[in-house]
Amino acid sequence: MESNLNQSNSIPLEYDLIFDVVDTFNKTKLGNLCIGDQQWECISGKYGKGALPKGRYKIDNCYKLKPTKGETEAYTVREFPWVATLTPQFETDRTGLLIHPDGNKEGTAGCIGISKKENDVEVYEAITNLLKSKKELILYVNS
């Protein structure tokens, strides 16, 4: 998916991650999760209240979940289930927002789901490595 970021594909300094939305339809956003010069295809919405609203989000935790049948399939694609918590930095009624592998059915209830199964562990490692050097990260959803 082609990015909307500028030619150098750089993230503005005030943000650690960007959900670069490239298409929106039926309560769903498709785009790329960008960290540094890396980007991974992702989806937000399709279920519940739909896609993640535009704005700034704090990420202060990224962790593995214990695989539990009937509970963690939506957060598992390859090796293990994991989530990164998103806290909106603006007024909204949306809660329980996460970044996670897009397991089970395609789409999320407002979270950012990593679309390609070969990328899920790579994204987990990128976020956890950033959190080792910073107490919290800032994600910007651009549309």
Side-chain angles (χ1 to χ4, degrees):
M1 214 174 298
E2 192 166 326
S3 176
N4 286 328
L5 296 178
N6 62 32
Q7 294 287 340
S8 66
N9 205 24
S10 62
I11 295 175
L13 293 176
E14 65 268 28
Y15 308 119
D16 301 295
L17 301 88
I18 288 183
F19 177 24
D20 180 29
V21 178
V22 297
D23 195 11
T24 303
F25 57 94
N26 298 336
K27 298 185 351 179
T28 303
K29 293 179 181 179
L30 300 176
N32 300 296
L33 182 65
C34 305
I35 303 175
D37 60 356
Q38 298 177 294
Q39 61 181 13
W40 302 274
E41 288 184 24
C42 54
I43 185 170
S44 180
K46 199 174 195 177
Y47 305 104
K49 293 182 179 179
L52 197 64
K54 177 180 178 177
R56 291 170 48 104
Y57 296 80
K58 181 174 73 169
I59 302 170
D60 60 8
N61 204 355
C62 185
Y63 55 94
K64 294 179 184 180
L65 300 169
K66 180 181 177 187
T68 306
K69 188 171 175 77
E71 293 181 25
T72 58
E73 287 86 352
Y75 311 126
T76 309
V77 175
R78 267 189 330 164
E79 295 183 33
F80 52 85
W82 64 270
V83 298
T85 57
L86 300 177
T87 305
Q89 301 300 289
F90 55 91
E91 282 295 317
T92 181
D93 65 345
R94 306 291 294 274
T95 61
L97 300 170
L98 307 164
I99 298 173
H100 60 76
D102 188 30
N104 216 357
K105 299 177 190 174
E106 181 188 50
T108 70
C111 300
I112 296 175
I114 307 305
S115 298
K116 293 188 176 181
K117 67 179 183 180
E118 60 271 12
N119 294 335
D120 70 324
V121 174
E122 192 175 316
V123 175
Y124 169 80
E125 290 173 350
I127 294 171
T128 56
N129 285 338
L130 268 176
L131 283 168
K132 288 177 185 174
S133 62
K134 295 179 119 180
K135 185 176 178 180
E136 61 185 41
L137 308 175
I138 298 296
L139 164 76
Y140 182 65
V141 177
N142 68 356
S143 176

